[in-house]
Amino acid sequence: MQEKSKYERILDRVKEEKGVEYDKDLTADDLKEIVTLFKELYKKSQGEDFPQEPRVQLIEAVKAVFRSWDNDRANVYRRMHDIPYEWGTAVNVQSMVFGNMGETSGTGVAFSRNPATGENILYGEYLMNAQGEDVVAGIRTPLPISTLEKQNPKVYKEFADIAKKLEKHNKDMQDMEFTIENGKLYMLQTRNGKRTAKAALKIAVDLVNEGMITEKEALMMLDPKQLDALLHPQFNDTALKSATPIAEALPASPGAACGKIAFTAERAKEMAASDKVVLVRLETSPEDIEGMAVSQGVLTARGGMTSHAAVVARGMGTACVAGCSAIKFADDEKSFTLGGKVFKEGDELSFDGSTGKVYEGLITTEPAKISGEFATIMEWADKYRAMQVRTNADNPKDAKNAFNFGAQGVGLCRTEHMFFDADRIPAVREMIVSTTVEERKKALAKLLPMQRKDFIGIYKAMQGLPVTIRFLDPPLHEFLPHENSEIRDLAEEMGLTFDKLKQTVADLHEFNPMMGHRGLRLAVTYPEIAEMQTQAVIEAAIDVNKEMGFKIVPEIMIPLTCDSKEFKYVRDIVAAKADEVIAANGVELSYKIGTMIEIPRAAVTADQVAEYAEFFSFGTNDLTQMTYGFSRDDAGKFLDVYYAKKIFESDPFARLDQNGVGKLVKMACELGRKARPNIKLGICGEHGGDPSSVEFCHNAGLTYVSCSPFRVPIARLAAAQANIKNPRR
């Protein structure tokens, strides 16, 4: 079938020839002419006449709906919302009513509450003498639903009563479509309405306060992923005061957006790989969904509060300003004029989906806070969840953010991230090129106070909550340069010959470094590295306990275990050093030593590992990588093909594979508890912030999930929902 735009161009050309702006202004003869042109285009593209038999037309329309289940945008939407492909779609066939039979007829879309703010007022838009497509496409500027009360009080009251009745029956805010035909109201459909994250929280809390639903029901009606929209930066108040808006339009979906302008979904996807992007369109269509997904926000010249851009952006939690009629696009749609200035692709723009204001350039942003209804929902979530939520944090700033978002500790602190700082990398490199234990210890002694300071900062930020610190994990070659010019510069800086350093780099090269000399294998080869890190962890805990009065119990995590004897060897080194430091300081301090389960062999021998490990933390990034045999850095090159051919429905690195990797996790949990009934079980891969994976972790009996700071509230809500669905005994 031809692209819709080819038919639209015919319609636009005829309107221009006839000197009219809107479809409704065309005469019957004009419409007959357009139909003839449409039929000619259809025959040219399809090689046959447009079917005239009504039954054939109906069956072809039904087929078109079924085919839509398999188009690109439907596949993308399902992956975004975890909808299985095998569910399929349905078709409703119903008799038509017509809103374009004159000024006593009309059509509209309305919500029983404001989907942008959650305010308990009837909210929507309508057009008289129009069809439904006219309202949602933004071709004509619709009227607010409140105007209908003045225009036709009887129909408005009937509609308002039905809206409340539907909301009460469905126990949720309703999205309704209606048509008025010759003064008679017809309800076309109702469904639970899409809403912004802010509105979702307010509506849930209000419905509880109104006695319509329970706290548990309120939690279950929320989409945890939607909370992400509330955790993204908002415009800084000071920066905003000094900025002058160049336009103001409809605040369709709240949140701050700033970035480089892209005019098409394709360009937005390309540009988003390296820059923050805002998508600016005349109007959006379903084909734009991927571009909208990667953009910071969406700005449209046409459309209302119920236009495609507004509805989809609200569902994604993406900022959107719609109907900015001040935007004047060039004929080629590769630039536009706004506020007296021409904007092209790559120019910088900011806009606020909460106020509808548009600004030239980039405005400073700052993170949002948990307060109001958001705080109430989090309170309820904590009340009903059984699993703890920790965070992945490698520095005090991230730890503090996570603490403010309700994290109950740090589940993963990656110490290697601390080694790359400019003031530390020389000592790390000195340690790597050392040829004797003494030389290595001398270099490590320079790193000790730096590591200790890092841990002190994180302990303080976490206010005495547990902190799990993972010892050095990546292969050593990552800390060295690989270009000859860089090797030469470093050799001169370190007082080495070029040949010697070049040889060291060559010696450290590995064919498959992700499965090479890394993790606890480094500690087996160079135990002094583990000893230095142990000393830093324990001394930091002692210092903070003395200063702050906390009772920190350090948790030392040894990564990449594949064998119980291997783990015991390193564990004994760590324990001996920890005991030595504690004794030297004359204090009492408990500590725990555990491991990451990220190699399949460790999972299937977890009962043996648990004889020595006091806790497991599942590193599902590497566990997924090693179970699938996929490189998580390269799989993206071919996963799109797997999606297109229906081999995979989702990225296994984003959503935990419960059929394969999940079975290894469950097996390790069962074996671990068998050997050590009180073993602490956690997860610290990217899956820790994915709602479906959080539910799996709850059902598997994990003690906690750990995720990035800004996903902590998402995990808190997802954990509550999991416990409401399947309560732990």
Side-chain angles (χ1 to χ4, degrees):
M1 183 60 70
Q2 289 286 327
E3 294 177 11
K4 178 183 174 184
S5 61
K6 292 186 178 181
Y7 291 91
E8 288 178 341
R9 280 200 284 273
I10 291 174
L11 182 61
D12 289 341
R13 190 178 72 240
V14 173
K15 285 194 292 188
E16 187 177 345
E17 290 171 358
K18 304 299 180 182
V20 301
E21 186 176 357
Y22 300 117
D23 299 359
K24 69 183 182 66
D25 298 325
L26 293 166
T27 66
D29 288 338
D30 296 335
L31 293 173
K32 286 179 182 178
E33 180 185 340
I34 290 167
V35 169
T36 300
L37 294 170
F38 277 9
K39 285 181 177 179
E40 289 174 0
L41 177 58
Y42 180 91
K43 185 172 183 177
K44 183 180 179 181
S45 64
Q46 300 300 106
E48 60 183 14
D49 288 329
F50 186 81
Q52 297 302 299
E53 173 61 41
R55 182 180 178 83
V56 174
Q57 292 179 5
L58 178 61
I59 294 301
E60 289 303 312
V62 170
K63 287 180 182 177
V65 175
F66 284 134
R67 281 196 298 267
S68 73
W69 183 251
D70 213 17
N71 65 31
D72 289 342
R73 66 176 182 271
N75 288 319
V76 170
Y77 186 87
R78 282 195 298 275
R79 283 204 303 276
M80 287 169 60
H81 296 278
D82 298 335
I83 299 172
Y85 174 77
E86 61 266 19
W87 278 8
T89 190
V91 180
N92 278 346
V93 179
Q94 61 188 55
S95 59
M96 284 285 290
V97 285
F98 298 91
N100 58 347
M101 297 181 70
E103 291 306 319
T104 61
S105 301
T107 189
V109 177
F111 298 82
S112 57
R113 299 180 189 232
N114 187 319
T117 66
E119 188 180 359
N120 188 7
I121 56 169
L122 199 58
Y123 176 96
E125 297 168 325
Y126 76 101
L127 280 171
M128 299 306 288
N129 194 19
Q131 299 182 88
E133 182 66 17
D134 296 331
V135 177
V136 297
I139 296 166
R140 289 167 55 192
T141 303
L143 298 169
I145 193 72
S146 57
T147 305
L148 183 62
E149 186 174 15
K150 301 168 188 172
Q151 195 170 23
N152 194 325
K154 182 173 175 291
V155 168
Y156 178 84
K157 184 178 186 310
E158 184 182 2
F159 179 75
D161 290 344
I162 290 172
K164 283 301 173 190
K165 188 177 292 185
L166 289 171
E167 183 179 271
K168 189 172 181 181
H169 176 77
N170 291 300
K171 297 184 176 182
D172 200 353
M173 182 263 279
Q174 295 301 290
D175 171 0
M176 302 156 289
E177 295 181 18
F178 65 94
T179 289
I180 305 164
E181 185 181 86
N182 291 326
K184 184 176 181 180
L185 175 67
Y186 291 87
M187 298 299 296
L188 306 183
Q189 73 168 25
T190 189
R191 58 188 171 186
N192 293 340
K194 286 187 171 70
R195 64 210 75 177
T196 65
K198 180 180 178 181
L201 298 179
K202 178 169 174 52
I203 290 168
V205 172
D206 284 353
L207 290 176
V208 172
N209 292 337
E210 292 165 20
M212 199 179 294
I213 60 174
T214 65
E215 291 175 357
K216 286 184 179 181
E217 287 172 328
L219 292 172
M220 293 306 296
M221 72 189 289
L222 297 169
D223 178 2
K225 288 182 179 178
Q226 207 178 12
L227 297 182
D228 194 43
L230 298 173
L231 301 169
H232 288 291
Q234 303 293 315
F235 286 138
N236 174 273
D237 287 340
T238 305
L240 198 58
K241 285 176 183 175
S242 61
T244 303
I246 56 174
E248 187 170 351
L250 299 173
S253 183
C258 57
K260 293 185 176 180
I261 295 169
F263 291 118
T264 66
E266 291 73 22
R267 283 296 293 146
K269 286 162 59 182
E270 292 168 9
M271 293 166 64
S274 57
D275 294 299
K276 287 186 176 181
V277 175
V278 290
L279 183 64
V280 182
R281 302 278 280 146
L282 186 64
E283 59 192 359
T284 64
S285 68
E287 285 76 15
D288 293 321
I289 188 168
E290 286 187 273
M292 295 175 72
V294 300
S295 299
Q296 303 298 308
V298 182
L299 173 64
T300 66
R302 292 180 183 171
M305 302 293 278
T306 53
S307 65
H308 174 269
V311 171
V312 173
R314 282 199 292 269
M316 289 180 172
T318 300
C320 177
V321 172
C324 186
S325 57
I327 291 177
K328 303 300 178 187
F329 273 95
D331 290 340
D332 60 5
E333 295 189 9
K334 292 183 178 179
S335 66
F336 65 85
T337 303
L338 183 63
K341 180 180 176 179
V342 176
F343 290 86
K344 299 178 181 179
E345 182 183 278
D347 288 345
E348 295 172 337
L349 200 68
S350 300
F351 48 87
D352 191 337
S354 302
T355 64
K357 292 179 179 178
V358 183
Y359 306 85
E360 181 183 350
L362 302 180
I363 299 176
T364 307
T365 57
E366 59 186 23
K369 297 176 182 177
I370 295 180
S371 59
E373 286 88 8
F374 196 172
T376 300
I377 290 295
M378 288 294 98
E379 203 176 295
W380 292 347
D382 294 343
K383 179 178 175 181
Y384 293 108
R385 67 183 166 91
M387 193 165 53
Q388 295 175 12
V389 176
R390 295 194 190 184
T391 190
N392 302 339
D394 309 326
N395 56 67
K397 180 184 175 184
D398 285 350
K400 191 174 190 314
N401 275 336
F403 181 83
N404 292 337
F405 285 141
Q408 294 168 285
V410 171
L412 174 64
C413 172
R414 293 158 285 211
T415 54
E416 62 272 8
H417 287 189
M418 303 166 174
F419 285 178
F420 285 99
D421 287 353
D423 62 337
R424 302 169 188 212
I425 196 75
V428 175
R429 288 169 169 171
E430 183 183 332
M431 179 264 294
I432 292 171
V433 300
S434 298
T435 55
T436 66
V437 173
E438 289 70 26
E439 287 178 353
R440 241 183 327 273
K441 284 186 175 181
K442 184 180 177 182
L444 289 166
K446 297 177 183 178
L447 289 169
L448 174 62
M450 301 175 187
Q451 283 257 280
R452 183 170 55 232
K453 182 181 177 183
D454 290 328
F455 299 144
I456 286 173
I458 291 173
Y459 285 147
K460 286 182 176 180
M462 274 288 123
Q463 300 286 303
L465 292 172
V467 175
T468 302
I469 295 168
R470 183 181 75 183
F471 278 6
L472 189 62
D473 184 49
L476 297 179
H477 77 89
E478 289 191 9
F479 298 98
L480 294 176
H482 296 279
E483 297 295 327
N484 281 341
S485 59
E486 294 176 339
I487 293 173
R488 187 170 286 105
D489 290 344
L490 180 60
E492 186 176 332
E493 182 184 321
M494 298 185 71
L496 301 172
T497 65
F498 169 81
D499 291 338
K500 181 179 180 182
L501 187 54
K502 176 78 172 175
Q503 186 60 49
T504 301
V505 172
D507 291 344
L508 289 172
H509 172 76
E510 294 178 306
F511 288 106
N512 194 339
M514 289 306 294
M515 300 174 73
H517 193 196
R518 53 174 284 232
L520 91 170
R521 297 160 198 171
L522 289 172
V524 170
T525 312
Y526 309 118
E528 51 273 15
I529 296 177
E531 288 176 338
M532 181 278 288
Q533 293 199 286
T534 302
Q535 184 174 346
V537 167
I538 299 299
E539 287 181 348
I542 291 171
D543 289 352
V544 175
N545 282 346
K546 283 180 180 177
E547 181 185 347
M548 309 294 292
F550 297 152
K551 293 184 179 179
I552 296 168
V553 177
E555 297 178 356
I556 296 171
M557 183 156 66
I558 300 170
L560 217 70
T561 294
C562 70
D563 185 88
S564 60
K565 290 180 182 177
E566 173 193 47
F567 175 74
K568 181 181 182 299
Y569 178 84
V570 178
R571 182 202 176 283
D572 289 348
I573 291 169
V574 171
K577 188 63 178 181
D579 291 343
E580 176 191 318
V581 174
I582 292 168
N585 281 271
V587 298
E588 290 185 5
L589 180 75
S590 298
Y591 60 88
K592 296 181 183 296
I593 303 174
T595 191
M596 285 190 86
I597 302 292
E598 49 196 324
I599 294 177
R601 190 178 189 279
V604 299
T605 61
D607 52 341
Q608 298 170 30
V609 177
E611 289 181 27
Y612 308 107
E614 295 173 274
F615 64 86
F616 289 166
S617 181
F618 292 94
T620 50
N621 298 346
D622 270 357
L623 186 58
T624 297
Q625 179 171 244
M626 294 192 182
T627 303
Y628 273 87
F630 287 170
S631 164
R632 68 178 191 239
D633 297 316
D634 301 316
K637 295 175 183 176
F638 60 81
L639 281 178
D640 281 343
V641 179
Y642 274 56
Y643 303 145
K645 297 186 176 180
K646 305 297 182 295
I647 298 171
F648 286 177
E649 289 189 8
S650 60
D651 181 349
F653 293 104
R655 185 181 183 193
L656 186 66
D657 160 42
Q658 298 183 18
N659 291 327
V661 178
K663 285 182 180 176
L664 287 173
V665 172
K666 281 186 174 179
M667 180 190 301
C669 288
E670 290 166 5
L671 291 172
R673 280 191 289 259
K674 183 178 177 182
R676 188 184 292 266
N678 63 341
I679 192 168
K680 186 180 290 186
L681 302 167
I683 180 175
C684 60
E686 285 302 307
H687 301 103
D690 170 62
S692 64
S693 304
V694 170
E695 182 176 355
F696 166 82
C697 293
H698 167 86
N699 294 337
L702 267 64
T703 313
Y704 67 86
V705 294
S706 188
C707 55
S708 64
F710 287 93
R711 295 186 73 81
V712 166
I714 295 172
R716 290 165 69 188
L717 177 55
Q721 291 178 338
N723 198 41
I724 291 169
K725 285 183 191 175
N726 184 21
R728 284 190 182 175
R729 291 180 174 82

